Amino acid sequence: MSQVVVDISVSLDGYVTGPNAGPGNGLGDNGEALHRWVFEGTDEDRAALDRSFERTGAVVQGRRLFDVIDAPDGWNEEMGYGATRDSERRPPIFVVTHEPPATTRLGDRFSFVTDLTEAIDLARKAAGDKDVVVMGGGEICHAVLAAGLADVLLLHVAPVVLGDGTRLYPASAGPRVDLELTSAVSTPQAQHLTYAVRKSS
């Protein structure tokens, strides 16, 4: 059954990038440690990444992440989805934004939606029996959780305290989200923690 999965790497102190993140500096200053499990990880890390790719039928992301991806040093036509170079893996991507860009470097791989719930609904239809993966950035991941739209929270917790950057959880008060741990995989580069989101009755 299709699920909405918030899937993101995060530091021990809750940051999904270092400071000054943006086009040309996607993970922020010294934020590379967050994704070391992707590029320098173990077979278990690679298996976690492969599982994510295999289950993904559609992707939802925020505009800031799109601007990083669409920048000249971002994704290219040979790159499929995320860190993979498999050009066949190109799930449709729905970008939540107040204003769609006039042009995009990567063509029709992206659709732009101004409403979060609508983006999730469109992604569900596009995903079929696969999952909708919310891949970032931190603001959109938290918004999906706070709105009660997520079924699963998958955190890849990197062994680093960044001290500053883009927060996954805002400093201001937000709604409570109850979780149930369903899987935990520990490697030297990350703790891969899967939680089911408990829905309110």
Side-chain angles (χ1 to χ4, degrees), residues 142-181:
H142 183 265
V144 170
L145 281 170
L149 297 171
D151 301 300
V152 175
L153 173 61
L154 176 53
L155 296 179
H156 311 281
V157 184
V160 61
V161 174
L162 287 179
D164 193 9
T166 305
R167 295 176 181 270
L168 175 56
Y169 309 108
S172 57
R176 173 173 168 159
V177 179
D178 289 313
L179 306 169
E180 178 184 353
L181 183 67

mmCIF file of all heavy atoms in Angstrom, residues 142-181:
data_model
loop_
_atom_site.group_PDB
_atom_site.id
_atom_site.type_symbol
_atom_site.label_atom_id
_atom_site.label_comp_id
_atom_site.label_asym_id
_atom_site.label_seq_id
_atom_site.Cartn_x
_atom_site.Cartn_y
_atom_site.Cartn_z
ATOM 1 N N HIS A 142 8.954 19.086 7.747
ATOM 2 C CA HIS A 142 8.230 19.364 8.983
ATOM 3 C C HIS A 142 6.792 19.741 8.692
ATOM 4 O O HIS A 142 5.877 19.355 9.428
ATOM 5 C CB HIS A 142 8.907 20.478 9.784
ATOM 6 C CG HIS A 142 8.233 20.727 11.086
ATOM 7 N ND1 HIS A 142 7.266 21.705 11.245
ATOM 8 C CD2 HIS A 142 8.330 20.098 12.284
ATOM 9 C CE1 HIS A 142 6.821 21.676 12.479
ATOM 10 N NE2 HIS A 142 7.450 20.713 13.132
ATOM 11 N N ALA A 143 6.550 20.475 7.603
ATOM 12 C CA ALA A 143 5.182 20.878 7.271
ATOM 13 C C ALA A 143 4.303 19.666 7.001
ATOM 14 O O ALA A 143 3.138 19.628 7.415
ATOM 15 C CB ALA A 143 5.193 21.805 6.055
ATOM 16 N N VAL A 144 4.845 18.653 6.322
ATOM 17 C CA VAL A 144 4.077 17.438 6.040
ATOM 18 C C VAL A 144 3.768 16.700 7.338
ATOM 19 O O VAL A 144 2.646 16.225 7.548
ATOM 20 C CB VAL A 144 4.840 16.538 5.046
ATOM 21 C CG1 VAL A 144 4.187 15.164 4.923
ATOM 22 C CG2 VAL A 144 4.905 17.208 3.675
ATOM 23 N N LEU A 145 4.747 16.615 8.241
ATOM 24 C CA LEU A 145 4.512 15.998 9.547
ATOM 25 C C LEU A 145 3.466 16.776 10.345
ATOM 26 O O LEU A 145 2.520 16.202 10.894
ATOM 27 C CB LEU A 145 5.812 15.936 10.349
ATOM 28 C CG LEU A 145 6.803 14.831 10.008
ATOM 29 C CD1 LEU A 145 8.113 15.082 10.741
ATOM 30 C CD2 LEU A 145 6.241 13.464 10.385
ATOM 31 N N ALA A 146 3.634 18.095 10.398
ATOM 32 C CA ALA A 146 2.750 18.927 11.212
ATOM 33 C C ALA A 146 1.318 18.908 10.699
ATOM 34 O O ALA A 146 0.367 19.036 11.480
ATOM 35 C CB ALA A 146 3.280 20.357 11.253
ATOM 36 N N ALA A 147 1.158 18.745 9.388
ATOM 37 C CA ALA A 147 -0.176 18.736 8.794
ATOM 38 C C ALA A 147 -0.853 17.374 8.899
ATOM 39 O O ALA A 147 -2.003 17.225 8.468
ATOM 40 C CB ALA A 147 -0.091 19.163 7.332
ATOM 41 N N GLY A 148 -0.164 16.386 9.452
ATOM 42 C CA GLY A 148 -0.742 15.057 9.581
ATOM 43 C C GLY A 148 -0.811 14.294 8.272
ATOM 44 O O GLY A 148 -1.611 13.371 8.124
ATOM 45 N N LEU A 149 0.043 14.651 7.311
ATOM 46 C CA LEU A 149 0.016 14.032 5.984
ATOM 47 C C LEU A 149 0.994 12.870 5.843
ATOM 48 O O LEU A 149 0.939 12.150 4.850
ATOM 49 C CB LEU A 149 0.327 15.091 4.917
ATOM 50 C CG LEU A 149 -0.675 16.248 4.813
ATOM 51 C CD1 LEU A 149 -0.148 17.327 3.876
ATOM 52 C CD2 LEU A 149 -2.032 15.734 4.345
ATOM 53 N N ALA A 150 1.883 12.688 6.810
ATOM 54 C CA ALA A 150 2.904 11.634 6.708
ATOM 55 C C ALA A 150 2.425 10.339 7.349
ATOM 56 O O ALA A 150 1.732 10.351 8.369
ATOM 57 C CB ALA A 150 4.202 12.084 7.371
ATOM 58 N N ASP A 151 2.815 9.232 6.745
ATOM 59 C CA ASP A 151 2.581 7.905 7.326
ATOM 60 C C ASP A 151 3.829 7.355 7.996
ATOM 61 O O ASP A 151 3.747 6.572 8.946
ATOM 62 C CB ASP A 151 2.143 6.921 6.237
ATOM 63 C CG ASP A 151 0.872 7.355 5.537
ATOM 64 O OD1 ASP A 151 -0.149 7.484 6.231
ATOM 65 O OD2 ASP A 151 0.904 7.573 4.314
ATOM 66 N N VAL A 152 4.994 7.754 7.482
ATOM 67 C CA VAL A 152 6.271 7.228 7.959
ATOM 68 C C VAL A 152 7.273 8.369 8.051
ATOM 69 O O VAL A 152 7.307 9.251 7.182
ATOM 70 C CB VAL A 152 6.818 6.140 6.988
ATOM 71 C CG1 VAL A 152 8.212 5.680 7.411
ATOM 72 C CG2 VAL A 152 5.863 4.960 6.915
ATOM 73 N N LEU A 153 8.087 8.358 9.104
ATOM 74 C CA LEU A 153 9.229 9.264 9.235
ATOM 75 C C LEU A 153 10.489 8.413 9.222
ATOM 76 O O LEU A 153 10.664 7.551 10.083
ATOM 77 C CB LEU A 153 9.142 10.065 10.533
ATOM 78 C CG LEU A 153 10.354 10.941 10.881
ATOM 79 C CD1 LEU A 153 10.603 12.000 9.818
ATOM 80 C CD2 LEU A 153 10.167 11.585 12.255
ATOM 81 N N LEU A 154 11.336 8.633 8.229
ATOM 82 C CA LEU A 154 12.592 7.896 8.098
ATOM 83 C C LEU A 154 13.740 8.884 8.248
ATOM 84 O O LEU A 154 13.950 9.755 7.394
ATOM 85 C CB LEU A 154 12.664 7.184 6.742
ATOM 86 C CG LEU A 154 13.950 6.444 6.399
ATOM 87 C CD1 LEU A 154 14.352 5.470 7.486
ATOM 88 C CD2 LEU A 154 13.803 5.726 5.051
ATOM 89 N N LEU A 155 14.450 8.764 9.366
ATOM 90 C CA LEU A 155 15.572 9.650 9.661
ATOM 91 C C LEU A 155 16.882 8.902 9.509
ATOM 92 O O LEU A 155 17.024 7.786 10.005
ATOM 93 C CB LEU A 155 15.470 10.188 11.090
ATOM 94 C CG LEU A 155 14.279 11.080 11.419
ATOM 95 C CD1 LEU A 155 14.331 11.486 12.887
ATOM 96 C CD2 LEU A 155 14.238 12.304 10.524
ATOM 97 N N HIS A 156 17.838 9.533 8.836
ATOM 98 C CA HIS A 156 19.204 9.030 8.753
ATOM 99 C C HIS A 156 20.045 9.974 9.621
ATOM 100 O O HIS A 156 20.422 11.063 9.192
ATOM 101 C CB HIS A 156 19.692 9.025 7.304
ATOM 102 C CG HIS A 156 18.711 8.384 6.354
ATOM 103 N ND1 HIS A 156 18.597 7.016 6.238
ATOM 104 C CD2 HIS A 156 17.795 8.925 5.518
ATOM 105 C CE1 HIS A 156 17.657 6.748 5.344
ATOM 106 N NE2 HIS A 156 17.152 7.884 4.902
ATOM 107 N N VAL A 157 20.265 9.576 10.868
ATOM 108 C CA VAL A 157 20.883 10.467 11.846
ATOM 109 C C VAL A 157 22.400 10.335 11.765
ATOM 110 O O VAL A 157 22.966 9.285 12.094
ATOM 111 C CB VAL A 157 20.387 10.154 13.271
ATOM 112 C CG1 VAL A 157 20.973 11.154 14.255
ATOM 113 C CG2 VAL A 157 18.861 10.181 13.325
ATOM 114 N N ALA A 158 23.044 11.401 11.306
ATOM 115 C CA ALA A 158 24.498 11.404 11.137
ATOM 116 C C ALA A 158 25.185 11.702 12.466
ATOM 117 O O ALA A 158 24.664 12.470 13.285
ATOM 118 C CB ALA A 158 24.906 12.437 10.095
ATOM 119 N N PRO A 159 26.369 11.112 12.708
ATOM 120 C CA PRO A 159 27.070 11.326 13.980
ATOM 121 C C PRO A 159 27.815 12.655 13.992
ATOM 122 O O PRO A 159 29.039 12.716 14.011
ATOM 123 C CB PRO A 159 28.023 10.124 14.047
ATOM 124 C CG PRO A 159 28.334 9.819 12.612
ATOM 125 C CD PRO A 159 27.073 10.124 11.852
ATOM 126 N N VAL A 160 27.053 13.741 13.982
ATOM 127 C CA VAL A 160 27.660 15.065 13.986
ATOM 128 C C VAL A 160 26.696 16.039 14.655
ATOM 129 O O VAL A 160 25.474 15.910 14.529
ATOM 130 C CB VAL A 160 27.987 15.537 12.542
ATOM 131 C CG1 VAL A 160 26.733 15.628 11.683
ATOM 132 C CG2 VAL A 160 28.733 16.852 12.543
ATOM 133 N N VAL A 161 27.245 16.985 15.391
ATOM 134 C CA VAL A 161 26.486 18.119 15.936
ATOM 135 C C VAL A 161 26.901 19.334 15.114
ATOM 136 O O VAL A 161 28.027 19.819 15.234
ATOM 137 C CB VAL A 161 26.790 18.322 17.433
ATOM 138 C CG1 VAL A 161 26.107 19.590 17.945
ATOM 139 C CG2 VAL A 161 26.343 17.105 18.246
ATOM 140 N N LEU A 162 26.007 19.818 14.248
ATOM 141 C CA LEU A 162 26.365 20.914 13.349
ATOM 142 C C LEU A 162 26.338 22.269 14.040
ATOM 143 O O LEU A 162 27.072 23.178 13.662
ATOM 144 C CB LEU A 162 25.418 20.929 12.147
ATOM 145 C CG LEU A 162 25.621 19.809 11.128
ATOM 146 C CD1 LEU A 162 24.591 19.939 10.013
ATOM 147 C CD2 LEU A 162 27.031 19.836 10.548
ATOM 148 N N GLY A 163 25.459 22.457 15.018
ATOM 149 C CA GLY A 163 25.430 23.714 15.759
ATOM 150 C C GLY A 163 24.621 24.814 15.113
ATOM 151 O O GLY A 163 24.179 25.742 15.796
ATOM 152 N N ASP A 164 24.411 24.737 13.799
ATOM 153 C CA ASP A 164 23.671 25.784 13.093
ATOM 154 C C ASP A 164 23.311 25.246 11.712
ATOM 155 O O ASP A 164 23.877 24.248 11.256
ATOM 156 C CB ASP A 164 24.521 27.049 12.974
ATOM 157 C CG ASP A 164 23.711 28.266 12.542
ATOM 158 O OD1 ASP A 164 22.461 28.179 12.505
ATOM 159 O OD2 ASP A 164 24.328 29.304 12.228
ATOM 160 N N GLY A 165 22.373 25.912 11.058
ATOM 161 C CA GLY A 165 21.985 25.494 9.718
ATOM 162 C C GLY A 165 20.478 25.539 9.544
ATOM 163 O O GLY A 165 19.782 26.324 10.193
ATOM 164 N N THR A 166 19.979 24.667 8.695
ATOM 165 C CA THR A 166 18.544 24.564 8.431
ATOM 166 C C THR A 166 17.936 23.542 9.372
ATOM 167 O O THR A 166 18.335 22.379 9.372
ATOM 168 C CB THR A 166 18.290 24.132 6.974
ATOM 169 O OG1 THR A 166 18.947 25.023 6.084
ATOM 170 C CG2 THR A 166 16.799 24.104 6.679
ATOM 171 N N ARG A 167 16.959 23.958 10.153
ATOM 172 C CA ARG A 167 16.344 23.069 11.136
ATOM 173 C C ARG A 167 15.345 22.124 10.478
ATOM 174 O O ARG A 167 14.624 22.513 9.559
ATOM 175 C CB ARG A 167 15.590 23.878 12.196
ATOM 176 C CG ARG A 167 16.452 24.756 13.070
ATOM 177 C CD ARG A 167 15.556 25.569 14.009
ATOM 178 N NE ARG A 167 16.312 26.461 14.855
ATOM 179 C CZ ARG A 167 16.789 26.135 16.051
ATOM 180 N NH1 ARG A 167 16.579 24.921 16.520
ATOM 181 N NH2 ARG A 167 17.466 26.999 16.765
ATOM 182 N N LEU A 168 15.282 20.890 10.979
ATOM 183 C CA LEU A 168 14.177 20.019 10.628
ATOM 184 C C LEU A 168 12.944 20.409 11.440
ATOM 185 O O LEU A 168 11.832 20.463 10.921
ATOM 186 C CB LEU A 168 14.533 18.553 10.883
ATOM 187 C CG LEU A 168 13.407 17.540 10.673
ATOM 188 C CD1 LEU A 168 12.824 17.640 9.256
ATOM 189 C CD2 LEU A 168 13.901 16.119 10.943
ATOM 190 N N TYR A 169 13.145 20.695 12.718
ATOM 191 C CA TYR A 169 12.056 21.095 13.600
ATOM 192 C C TYR A 169 12.245 22.570 13.939
ATOM 193 O O TYR A 169 13.289 22.963 14.445
ATOM 194 C CB TYR A 169 12.063 20.256 14.878
ATOM 195 C CG TYR A 169 12.106 18.775 14.600
ATOM 196 C CD1 TYR A 169 13.261 18.038 14.850
ATOM 197 C CD2 TYR A 169 11.008 18.121 14.051
ATOM 198 C CE1 TYR A 169 13.308 16.678 14.577
ATOM 199 C CE2 TYR A 169 11.055 16.764 13.774
ATOM 200 C CZ TYR A 169 12.210 16.050 14.039
ATOM 201 O OH TYR A 169 12.263 14.709 13.755
ATOM 202 N N PRO A 170 11.249 23.409 13.662
ATOM 203 C CA PRO A 170 11.411 24.845 13.904
ATOM 204 C C PRO A 170 11.563 25.153 15.387
ATOM 205 O O PRO A 170 11.150 24.371 16.241
ATOM 206 C CB PRO A 170 10.119 25.447 13.342
ATOM 207 C CG PRO A 170 9.134 24.330 13.357
ATOM 208 C CD PRO A 170 9.923 23.075 13.129
ATOM 209 N N ALA A 171 12.175 26.304 15.664
ATOM 210 C CA ALA A 171 12.371 26.705 17.054
ATOM 211 C C ALA A 171 11.047 27.072 17.718
ATOM 212 O O ALA A 171 10.905 26.972 18.936
ATOM 213 C CB ALA A 171 13.332 27.888 17.116
ATOM 214 N N SER A 172 10.074 27.501 16.936
ATOM 215 C CA SER A 172 8.769 27.868 17.494
ATOM 216 C C SER A 172 7.947 26.618 17.796
ATOM 217 O O SER A 172 8.247 25.524 17.313
ATOM 218 C CB SER A 172 8.015 28.754 16.508
ATOM 219 O OG SER A 172 7.877 28.093 15.262
ATOM 220 N N ALA A 173 6.906 26.790 18.580
ATOM 221 C CA ALA A 173 6.060 25.658 18.960
ATOM 222 C C ALA A 173 5.340 25.074 17.755
ATOM 223 O O ALA A 173 5.000 25.783 16.810
ATOM 224 C CB ALA A 173 5.039 26.115 20.002
ATOM 225 N N GLY A 174 5.132 23.767 17.777
ATOM 226 C CA GLY A 174 4.419 23.089 16.709
ATOM 227 C C GLY A 174 3.542 21.994 17.279
ATOM 228 O O GLY A 174 3.568 21.721 18.485
ATOM 229 N N PRO A 175 2.766 21.348 16.422
ATOM 230 C CA PRO A 175 1.878 20.286 16.908
ATOM 231 C C PRO A 175 2.663 19.046 17.327
ATOM 232 O O PRO A 175 3.751 18.767 16.819
ATOM 233 C CB PRO A 175 0.978 19.991 15.706
ATOM 234 C CG PRO A 175 1.770 20.428 14.529
ATOM 235 C CD PRO A 175 2.599 21.579 14.985
ATOM 236 N N ARG A 176 2.100 18.300 18.259
ATOM 237 C CA ARG A 176 2.691 17.038 18.690
ATOM 238 C C ARG A 176 2.487 15.977 17.608
ATOM 239 O O ARG A 176 1.435 15.909 16.979
ATOM 240 C CB ARG A 176 2.030 16.589 19.995
ATOM 241 C CG ARG A 176 2.436 15.209 20.448
ATOM 242 C CD ARG A 176 1.880 14.906 21.816
ATOM 243 N NE ARG A 176 2.026 13.496 22.143
ATOM 244 C CZ ARG A 176 2.007 13.027 23.376
ATOM 245 N NH1 ARG A 176 1.866 13.856 24.396
ATOM 246 N NH2 ARG A 176 2.133 11.741 23.605
ATOM 247 N N VAL A 177 3.515 15.141 17.401
ATOM 248 C CA VAL A 177 3.425 14.019 16.468
ATOM 249 C C VAL A 177 3.890 12.775 17.217
ATOM 250 O O VAL A 177 5.040 12.708 17.674
ATOM 251 C CB VAL A 177 4.303 14.242 15.219
ATOM 252 C CG1 VAL A 177 4.203 13.042 14.281
ATOM 253 C CG2 VAL A 177 3.912 15.523 14.494
ATOM 254 N N ASP A 178 3.013 11.800 17.372
ATOM 255 C CA ASP A 178 3.360 10.562 18.062
ATOM 256 C C ASP A 178 3.875 9.544 17.049
ATOM 257 O O ASP A 178 3.306 9.372 15.958
ATOM 258 C CB ASP A 178 2.142 9.991 18.784
ATOM 259 C CG ASP A 178 1.757 10.842 19.992
ATOM 260 O OD1 ASP A 178 2.659 11.196 20.769
ATOM 261 O OD2 ASP A 178 0.569 11.156 20.131
ATOM 262 N N LEU A 179 4.953 8.863 17.427
ATOM 263 C CA LEU A 179 5.643 7.950 16.521
ATOM 264 C C LEU A 179 5.830 6.588 17.173
ATOM 265 O O LEU A 179 5.895 6.470 18.392
ATOM 266 C CB LEU A 179 7.021 8.514 16.147
ATOM 267 C CG LEU A 179 7.065 9.936 15.578
ATOM 268 C CD1 LEU A 179 8.499 10.430 15.524
ATOM 269 C CD2 LEU A 179 6.428 9.978 14.197
ATOM 270 N N GLU A 180 5.971 5.573 16.328
ATOM 271 C CA GLU A 180 6.290 4.219 16.792
ATOM 272 C C GLU A 180 7.494 3.710 16.008
ATOM 273 O O GLU A 180 7.450 3.628 14.767
ATOM 274 C CB GLU A 180 5.109 3.287 16.574
ATOM 275 C CG GLU A 180 5.394 1.845 16.983
ATOM 276 C CD GLU A 180 4.242 0.911 16.677
ATOM 277 O OE1 GLU A 180 3.161 1.389 16.266
ATOM 278 O OE2 GLU A 180 4.431 -0.316 16.825
ATOM 279 N N LEU A 181 8.571 3.395 16.700
ATOM 280 C CA LEU A 181 9.772 2.884 16.032
ATOM 281 C C LEU A 181 9.490 1.502 15.442
ATOM 282 O O LEU A 181 9.070 0.592 16.137
ATOM 283 C CB LEU A 181 10.933 2.803 17.028
ATOM 284 C CG LEU A 181 12.276 2.343 16.450
ATOM 285 C CD1 LEU A 181 12.828 3.380 15.482
ATOM 286 C CD2 LEU A 181 13.282 2.089 17.574
#
